[in-house]
Amino acid sequence: MVSYKELGLVNTREMFAKAIEGGYAVPAFNFNNMEQMQAIIQACVEASSPVILQVSAGARKYANQTLLRYMAQGAVEYAKELGKNIPITLHLDHGNSFELCKSCIDMGFSSVMIDGSSLPYDENVALTRKVVEYAHQFDVTVEGELGVLAGVEDEVASEVAHYTKPEDVEDFVKKTGVDSLAISIGTSHGANKFKPEQCTRNADGILVPPELRFDILEEIEKRIPGFPIVLHGSSSVPQEYVKIINTHGGALKDAVGIPEEQLRKAAKSAVCKINIDSDGRLAMTAAVRKIFVDSPAEFDPRKYLGPARDELKKLYIHKCESVLGSAGKA
Ligand code: G3H
Ligand code: 13P
Ligand code: ZN
């Protein structure tokens, strides 16, 4: 049993309280490898932002949970070495069982998500409650979810989004004791968040998605005032990356994300954690594809992963400074 406190990590309680008070959101960036972790820490130290390092089920399979945990421990030391002791949380993204959440808590994670959103309501309550009871013994914070995002979530594919029902949130929060709640108001995972027929096209032919359901968010806030809300699926799918990818051998079709102004608006509300993964994937892929085309003789991985890491860092600084408002809050 390893306590996250010995590793220098923090849970999300104080982070979220400050974010709600300050009208900003803490970035939750997924990581699977060293370059992503370096980019996240370099960016958040430079922007002086608190940060949540997220480990998904896919990341555990790809990189191994133990290695990722040691990397997060290393991230704390790395941030100090770079000159700023920023608050860092190690969070399990989309935990799908009590056993998985327990295993992460026991090995040093400071926060877990139990995603029972695809279960019937009462089963979601019971599973979430069980995780909260275990986690709180060790001062580990828990994120629950109500409502289902469209797309692939937790390896469960849903064709349509089931928006969170505001009338459920108070009961869910009270019965489960969760520390934060992920909701469904129109975001979804991946780089194709909306079907072209759901969007309009602007003068340049770029797809413009429908607005997020801020009315649902407001209704939820009214029912659980000041309670930390989480937005998953919040990548904006920058079209400049899509263009670089597609002009350098890629084939991304109809990729569209959540406009940054809408995320800025959400961050000023009770939304205090915003999850971003796909944008990082696009940034790295764009950088790597460009180098492969422009410098075909290059075969030292540092020569393409290094620039990919730099692009990622630039993207994350932009998110902290101009989208989430978390810069300067560490
Ligand atoms: O919630 C989805 C995240 O983007 C993680 O994706 O399961 O492919 O690692 P992944
Ligand atoms: P994106 O696919 O929009 O980056 O969402 C990531 C996410 O929600 C991770 O849990
Ligand atoms: Zn998610």
Side-chain angles (χ1 to χ4, degrees):
M1 177 94 199
V2 184
S3 166
Y4 69 86
K5 294 181 183 176
E6 291 158 27
L7 311 180
L9 296 162
V10 298
N11 68 24
T12 57
R13 201 166 289 125
E14 195 183 327
M15 245 184 209
F16 288 171
K18 286 185 179 164
I20 289 178
E21 180 71 26
Y24 62 92
V26 178
F29 297 133
N30 290 70
F31 82 113
N32 302 264
N33 63 33
M34 183 186 74
E35 282 78 9
Q36 290 171 326
M37 191 276 274
Q38 289 173 315
I40 296 169
I41 297 302
Q42 289 170 9
C44 292
V45 164
E46 209 165 300
S48 194
S49 169
V51 69
I52 297 169
L53 295 170
Q54 290 202 139
V55 172
S56 71
R60 289 176 68 250
K61 265 188 227 151
Y62 176 78
N64 179 280
Q65 174 170 310
T66 308
L67 277 178
L68 291 172
R69 196 274 276 170
Y70 277 102
M71 278 169 69
Q73 186 176 352
V76 174
E77 298 309 316
Y78 183 46
K80 284 189 214 155
E81 198 179 301
L82 292 176
K84 181 105 192 165
N85 195 5
I86 55 171
I88 301 174
T89 293
L90 178 63
H91 176 77
L92 169 68
D93 194 19
H94 295 285
N96 61 358
S97 68
F98 171 77
E99 290 70 28
L100 172 55
C101 291
K102 180 180 182 301
S103 150
C104 288
I105 293 164
D106 291 351
M107 74 161 354
F109 281 55
S110 56
S111 177
V112 292
M113 174 188 193
I114 177 69
D115 182 355
S117 61
S118 60
L119 298 173
Y121 181 80
D122 289 340
E123 287 175 38
N124 187 1
V125 168
L127 176 61
T128 306
R129 175 79 222 154
K130 190 174 173 192
V131 172
V132 168
E133 273 169 8
Y134 186 75
H136 281 184
Q137 294 176 67
F138 308 100
D139 206 17
V140 168
T141 41
V142 180
E143 175 183 327
E145 179 166 334
L146 267 183
V148 181
L149 274 65
V152 178
E153 184 174 19
D154 188 19
E155 289 170 0
V156 175
S158 176
E159 265 293 299
V160 282
H162 299 283
Y163 297 125
T164 306
K165 293 191 199 128
E167 58 273 26
D168 287 344
V169 295
E170 204 179 343
D171 184 68
F172 186 82
V173 162
K174 206 155 65 196
K175 282 190 179 146
T176 59
V178 276
D179 302 282
S180 60
L181 182 68
I183 60 165
S184 171
I185 56 164
T187 63
S188 63
H189 293 106
N192 294 77
K193 298 192 185 297
F194 302 94
K195 297 201 174 68
E197 54 272 26
Q198 291 175 281
C199 306
T200 51
R201 284 196 192 266
N202 70 12
D204 303 319
I206 306 280
L207 292 171
V208 181
E211 256 237 327
L212 294 178
R213 292 292 303 271
F214 284 101
D215 56 324
I216 298 179
L217 174 60
E218 275 165 30
E219 196 52 43
I220 290 171
E221 284 191 69
K222 265 190 223 150
R223 292 176 191 246
I224 44 173
F227 192 80
I229 301 296
V230 177
L231 276 194
H232 282 248
S234 296
S235 278
S236 294
V237 188
Q239 292 301 305
E240 57 272 28
Y241 290 146
V242 174
K243 195 167 168 198
I244 294 171
I245 291 170
N246 285 342
T247 52
H248 293 79
L252 294 178
K253 203 171 173 305
D254 296 331
V256 59
I258 313 295
E260 290 186 341
E261 321 76 76
Q262 294 188 36
L263 295 168
R264 254 196 303 268
K265 181 173 164 188
K268 288 187 181 135
S269 72
V271 169
C272 59
K273 172 176 181 269
I274 289 191
N275 287 9
I276 296 170
D277 187 1
S278 298
D279 282 356
R281 297 178 182 194
L282 292 168
M284 287 193 96
T285 303
V288 170
R289 277 199 177 276
K290 190 163 177 353
I291 290 163
F292 281 176
V293 170
D294 294 352
S295 315
E298 204 54 79
F299 70 102
D300 178 346
R302 293 170 298 189
K303 297 284 167 51
Y304 49 86
L305 293 178
R309 181 177 62 195
D310 294 343
E311 193 56 50
L312 203 48
K313 175 184 173 186
K314 207 169 84 188
L315 170 82
Y316 290 148
I317 290 179
H318 167 73
K319 296 285 180 190
C320 295
E321 287 179 346
S322 309
V323 186
L324 282 71
S326 63
K329 309 293 186 186

